[in-house]
Amino acid sequence: GLELMLERRFEEADKEFKEAMDKEVDAELIGYEALARTHMFAKYNGDIGDFKSVPKKVMSFDEIKGKNLSKETEFILSLVDGLISYDDILSLARMERLEAMNCLAILIENGIIRKA
């Protein structure tokens, strides 16, 4: 996990720390996981920008199909209707806020959504 953190691969590092904590929980692992999550939160905040802005789908269904998105990301995409803000989407998501922010960041990075 620490090597992944140094490579700025925070999502993968977080996963490694969680898997390690499934075997044994200690304060050091908790701290490293919190640090990875803090970096993830900062990255997603930068990707999304203004949470009051409204995202819009900019790809066709056929183009999106080829992206092989996770079920969670597809669910978040289903909430993007060009009318509700990023904040509203995060409020409606039935998942942890950081996970929903990750899904939005994936959609932005893949050019599937952008600010309206």
Side-chain angles (χ1 to χ4, degrees), residues 10-39:
F10 303 116
E11 291 88 352
E12 294 170 71
D14 181 56
K15 182 179 176 188
E16 290 288 324
F17 295 134
K18 283 180 182 174
E19 288 175 5
M21 286 193 298
D22 285 343
K23 297 173 186 163
E24 177 183 350
V25 177
D26 68 27
E28 190 174 12
L29 282 173
I30 292 169
Y32 286 136
E33 184 199 19
L35 182 59
R37 293 173 66 81
T38 298
H39 283 288

CSV table of all heavy atoms in Angstrom, one decimal, residues 10-39:
chain,number,residue,atom,x,y,z
A,10,PHE,N,-3.9,6.2,-5.2
A,10,PHE,CA,-4.5,6.2,-3.9
A,10,PHE,C,-5.6,5.2,-3.8
A,10,PHE,O,-5.8,4.6,-2.7
A,10,PHE,CB,-5.0,7.6,-3.5
A,10,PHE,CG,-3.8,8.6,-3.5
A,10,PHE,CD1,-3.8,9.7,-4.4
A,10,PHE,CD2,-2.8,8.5,-2.6
A,10,PHE,CE1,-2.8,10.6,-4.4
A,10,PHE,CE2,-1.7,9.4,-2.6
A,10,PHE,CZ,-1.7,10.4,-3.6
A,11,GLU,N,-6.4,5.0,-4.8
A,11,GLU,CA,-7.5,4.1,-4.8
A,11,GLU,C,-7.0,2.7,-4.5
A,11,GLU,O,-7.6,1.9,-3.7
A,11,GLU,CB,-8.4,4.2,-6.1
A,11,GLU,CG,-9.2,5.4,-6.3
A,11,GLU,CD,-8.4,6.5,-7.0
A,11,GLU,OE1,-7.1,6.3,-7.2
A,11,GLU,OE2,-9.0,7.6,-7.3
A,12,GLU,N,-6.0,2.3,-5.2
A,12,GLU,CA,-5.4,1.0,-5.1
A,12,GLU,C,-4.8,0.8,-3.7
A,12,GLU,O,-4.9,-0.2,-3.1
A,12,GLU,CB,-4.3,0.7,-6.2
A,12,GLU,CG,-4.9,0.7,-7.6
A,12,GLU,CD,-3.8,0.7,-8.6
A,12,GLU,OE1,-3.2,-0.4,-8.7
A,12,GLU,OE2,-3.7,1.7,-9.3
A,13,ALA,N,-4.1,1.9,-3.2
A,13,ALA,CA,-3.5,1.9,-1.9
A,13,ALA,C,-4.6,1.7,-0.8
A,13,ALA,O,-4.4,0.9,0.1
A,13,ALA,CB,-2.7,3.2,-1.6
A,14,ASP,N,-5.7,2.4,-1.0
A,14,ASP,CA,-6.8,2.3,0.0
A,14,ASP,C,-7.3,0.8,0.0
A,14,ASP,O,-7.5,0.3,1.1
A,14,ASP,CB,-7.9,3.3,-0.4
A,14,ASP,CG,-9.1,3.2,0.5
A,14,ASP,OD1,-8.9,3.4,1.7
A,14,ASP,OD2,-10.2,3.0,0.0
A,15,LYS,N,-7.4,0.2,-1.1
A,15,LYS,CA,-7.9,-1.2,-1.2
A,15,LYS,C,-6.9,-2.1,-0.5
A,15,LYS,O,-7.3,-3.0,0.2
A,15,LYS,CB,-8.1,-1.6,-2.7
A,15,LYS,CG,-8.6,-3.0,-2.9
A,15,LYS,CD,-8.7,-3.3,-4.3
A,15,LYS,CE,-9.2,-4.7,-4.5
A,15,LYS,NZ,-9.2,-5.2,-5.8
A,16,GLU,N,-5.6,-1.9,-0.7
A,16,GLU,CA,-4.6,-2.7,0.0
A,16,GLU,C,-4.7,-2.6,1.5
A,16,GLU,O,-4.6,-3.6,2.2
A,16,GLU,CB,-3.2,-2.3,-0.5
A,16,GLU,CG,-2.9,-2.7,-1.9
A,16,GLU,CD,-2.7,-4.2,-2.1
A,16,GLU,OE1,-2.1,-4.8,-1.2
A,16,GLU,OE2,-3.1,-4.7,-3.2
A,17,PHE,N,-4.9,-1.3,2.0
A,17,PHE,CA,-4.9,-1.1,3.4
A,17,PHE,C,-6.2,-1.8,4.0
A,17,PHE,O,-6.2,-2.4,5.0
A,17,PHE,CB,-4.9,0.4,3.7
A,17,PHE,CG,-3.6,1.1,3.4
A,17,PHE,CD1,-3.6,2.3,2.7
A,17,PHE,CD2,-2.4,0.5,3.7
A,17,PHE,CE1,-2.4,2.9,2.4
A,17,PHE,CE2,-1.2,1.1,3.4
A,17,PHE,CZ,-1.2,2.3,2.7
A,18,LYS,N,-7.3,-1.7,3.2
A,18,LYS,CA,-8.5,-2.3,3.7
A,18,LYS,C,-8.4,-3.9,3.8
A,18,LYS,O,-8.8,-4.5,4.7
A,18,LYS,CB,-9.7,-2.0,2.8
A,18,LYS,CG,-10.3,-0.6,3.0
A,18,LYS,CD,-11.4,-0.3,2.1
A,18,LYS,CE,-11.9,1.1,2.3
A,18,LYS,NZ,-12.9,1.5,1.4
A,19,GLU,N,-7.7,-4.4,2.8
A,19,GLU,CA,-7.5,-5.9,2.8
A,19,GLU,C,-6.6,-6.3,3.9
A,19,GLU,O,-6.8,-7.3,4.6
A,19,GLU,CB,-6.9,-6.3,1.4
A,19,GLU,CG,-7.9,-6.3,0.3
A,19,GLU,CD,-7.3,-6.6,-1.1
A,19,GLU,OE1,-6.1,-7.0,-1.1
A,19,GLU,OE2,-8.0,-6.5,-2.1
A,20,ALA,N,-5.6,-5.5,4.2
A,20,ALA,CA,-4.7,-5.8,5.3
A,20,ALA,C,-5.4,-5.7,6.7
A,20,ALA,O,-5.2,-6.5,7.6
A,20,ALA,CB,-3.5,-4.8,5.3
A,21,MET,N,-6.4,-4.7,6.8
A,21,MET,CA,-7.1,-4.6,8.0
A,21,MET,C,-8.1,-5.7,8.2
A,21,MET,O,-8.6,-5.9,9.3
A,21,MET,CB,-7.8,-3.2,8.1
A,21,MET,CG,-6.8,-2.1,8.4
A,21,MET,SD,-7.6,-0.5,8.8
A,21,MET,CE,-8.5,-0.1,7.4
A,22,ASP,N,-8.5,-6.3,7.1
A,22,ASP,CA,-9.4,-7.5,7.3
A,22,ASP,C,-8.7,-8.6,8.0
A,22,ASP,O,-9.3,-9.4,8.7
A,22,ASP,CB,-9.8,-8.0,5.9
A,22,ASP,CG,-10.9,-7.2,5.2
A,22,ASP,OD1,-11.5,-6.4,5.9
A,22,ASP,OD2,-11.1,-7.3,4.0
A,23,LYS,N,-7.3,-8.6,7.9
A,23,LYS,CA,-6.5,-9.7,8.6
A,23,LYS,C,-6.1,-9.2,10.0
A,23,LYS,O,-6.1,-10.0,10.9
A,23,LYS,CB,-5.3,-10.0,7.8
A,23,LYS,CG,-5.6,-10.5,6.4
A,23,LYS,CD,-4.4,-10.7,5.6
A,23,LYS,CE,-4.8,-11.1,4.2
A,23,LYS,NZ,-3.8,-10.9,3.2
A,24,GLU,N,-5.8,-7.9,10.1
A,24,GLU,CA,-5.3,-7.4,11.4
A,24,GLU,C,-5.5,-5.9,11.4
A,24,GLU,O,-4.9,-5.2,10.5
A,24,GLU,CB,-3.9,-7.8,11.7
A,24,GLU,CG,-3.3,-7.3,13.0
A,24,GLU,CD,-1.9,-7.6,13.2
A,24,GLU,OE1,-1.3,-8.4,12.4
A,24,GLU,OE2,-1.3,-7.0,14.1
A,25,VAL,N,-6.1,-5.4,12.4
A,25,VAL,CA,-6.3,-3.9,12.5
A,25,VAL,C,-5.3,-3.4,13.5
A,25,VAL,O,-5.2,-3.9,14.6
A,25,VAL,CB,-7.8,-3.6,13.0
A,25,VAL,CG1,-7.9,-2.1,13.1
A,25,VAL,CG2,-8.8,-4.1,12.0
A,26,ASP,N,-4.6,-2.4,13.0
A,26,ASP,CA,-3.7,-1.6,13.9
A,26,ASP,C,-3.7,-0.1,13.6
A,26,ASP,O,-4.2,0.2,12.5
A,26,ASP,CB,-2.3,-2.2,14.0
A,26,ASP,CG,-1.5,-2.0,12.7
A,26,ASP,OD1,-1.8,-1.1,12.0
A,26,ASP,OD2,-0.6,-2.8,12.5
A,27,ALA,N,-3.3,0.7,14.5
A,27,ALA,CA,-3.3,2.1,14.3
A,27,ALA,C,-2.6,2.6,13.1
A,27,ALA,O,-3.0,3.5,12.4
A,27,ALA,CB,-2.8,2.8,15.6
A,28,GLU,N,-1.5,2.0,12.8
A,28,GLU,CA,-0.7,2.4,11.6
A,28,GLU,C,-1.5,2.2,10.3
A,28,GLU,O,-1.6,3.1,9.5
A,28,GLU,CB,0.6,1.6,11.5
A,28,GLU,CG,1.6,2.1,10.5
A,28,GLU,CD,2.9,1.4,10.6
A,28,GLU,OE1,3.0,0.4,11.2
A,28,GLU,OE2,3.8,1.9,9.9
A,29,LEU,N,-2.2,1.1,10.2
A,29,LEU,CA,-3.0,0.8,9.0
A,29,LEU,C,-4.2,1.8,8.9
A,29,LEU,O,-4.5,2.3,7.8
A,29,LEU,CB,-3.5,-0.6,9.0
A,29,LEU,CG,-2.6,-1.7,8.6
A,29,LEU,CD1,-3.2,-3.1,8.8
A,29,LEU,CD2,-2.2,-1.6,7.1
A,30,ILE,N,-4.8,2.1,10.0
A,30,ILE,CA,-5.9,3.0,10.1
A,30,ILE,C,-5.4,4.4,9.6
A,30,ILE,O,-6.1,5.0,8.8
A,30,ILE,CB,-6.5,3.1,11.5
A,30,ILE,CG1,-7.2,1.7,11.8
A,30,ILE,CG2,-7.5,4.2,11.6
A,30,ILE,CD1,-7.6,1.6,13.2
A,31,GLY,N,-4.2,4.8,10.0
A,31,GLY,CA,-3.7,6.1,9.6
A,31,GLY,C,-3.4,6.1,8.2
A,31,GLY,O,-3.7,7.1,7.5
A,32,TYR,N,-2.8,5.0,7.6
A,32,TYR,CA,-2.4,5.0,6.2
A,32,TYR,C,-3.7,5.0,5.3
A,32,TYR,O,-3.8,5.7,4.3
A,32,TYR,CB,-1.6,3.8,5.9
A,32,TYR,CG,-0.2,3.9,6.3
A,32,TYR,CD1,0.5,2.8,6.9
A,32,TYR,CD2,0.6,5.1,6.1
A,32,TYR,CE1,1.8,2.9,7.3
A,32,TYR,CE2,1.9,5.1,6.6
A,32,TYR,CZ,2.5,4.1,7.2
A,32,TYR,OH,3.8,4.2,7.6
A,33,GLU,N,-4.7,4.3,5.8
A,33,GLU,CA,-6.0,4.3,5.0
A,33,GLU,C,-6.6,5.7,5.0
A,33,GLU,O,-7.1,6.2,4.0
A,33,GLU,CB,-7.0,3.3,5.6
A,33,GLU,CG,-8.2,3.2,4.7
A,33,GLU,CD,-9.4,2.6,5.4
A,33,GLU,OE1,-9.5,2.5,6.6
A,33,GLU,OE2,-10.3,2.3,4.6
A,34,ALA,N,-6.6,6.3,6.2
A,34,ALA,CA,-7.1,7.7,6.3
A,34,ALA,C,-6.4,8.6,5.4
A,34,ALA,O,-7.0,9.5,4.7
A,34,ALA,CB,-7.1,8.2,7.7
A,35,LEU,N,-5.1,8.5,5.3
A,35,LEU,CA,-4.2,9.4,4.4
A,35,LEU,C,-4.6,9.1,3.0
A,35,LEU,O,-4.7,10.1,2.2
A,35,LEU,CB,-2.8,9.1,4.7
A,35,LEU,CG,-1.8,10.0,3.9
A,35,LEU,CD1,-2.0,11.5,4.2
A,35,LEU,CD2,-0.3,9.6,4.2
A,36,ALA,N,-4.7,7.9,2.6
A,36,ALA,CA,-5.1,7.5,1.2
A,36,ALA,C,-6.4,8.1,0.9
A,36,ALA,O,-6.6,8.8,-0.2
A,36,ALA,CB,-5.1,6.0,1.0
A,37,ARG,N,-7.4,8.0,1.8
A,37,ARG,CA,-8.7,8.5,1.5
A,37,ARG,C,-8.7,10.1,1.5
A,37,ARG,O,-9.5,10.7,0.7
A,37,ARG,CB,-9.7,8.0,2.6
A,37,ARG,CG,-9.9,6.5,2.5
A,37,ARG,CD,-10.7,5.9,3.6
A,37,ARG,NE,-12.1,6.4,3.6
A,37,ARG,CZ,-13.0,5.9,2.9
A,37,ARG,NH1,-12.8,4.9,2.0
A,37,ARG,NH2,-14.3,6.4,3.0
A,38,THR,N,-7.9,10.7,2.3
A,38,THR,CA,-7.8,12.2,2.2
A,38,THR,C,-7.3,12.6,0.8
A,38,THR,O,-7.8,13.6,0.3
A,38,THR,CB,-6.8,12.7,3.3
A,38,THR,OG1,-7.4,12.3,4.6
A,38,THR,CG2,-6.6,14.2,3.3
A,39,HIS,N,-6.3,11.9,0.3
A,39,HIS,CA,-5.8,12.2,-1.0
A,39,HIS,C,-6.8,12.0,-2.1
A,39,HIS,O,-6.9,12.7,-3.0
A,39,HIS,CB,-4.5,11.4,-1.3
A,39,HIS,CG,-3.3,11.9,-0.7
A,39,HIS,ND1,-2.6,13.1,-1.1
A,39,HIS,CD2,-2.6,11.4,0.4
A,39,HIS,CE1,-1.6,13.3,-0.3
A,39,HIS,NE2,-1.5,12.3,0.6
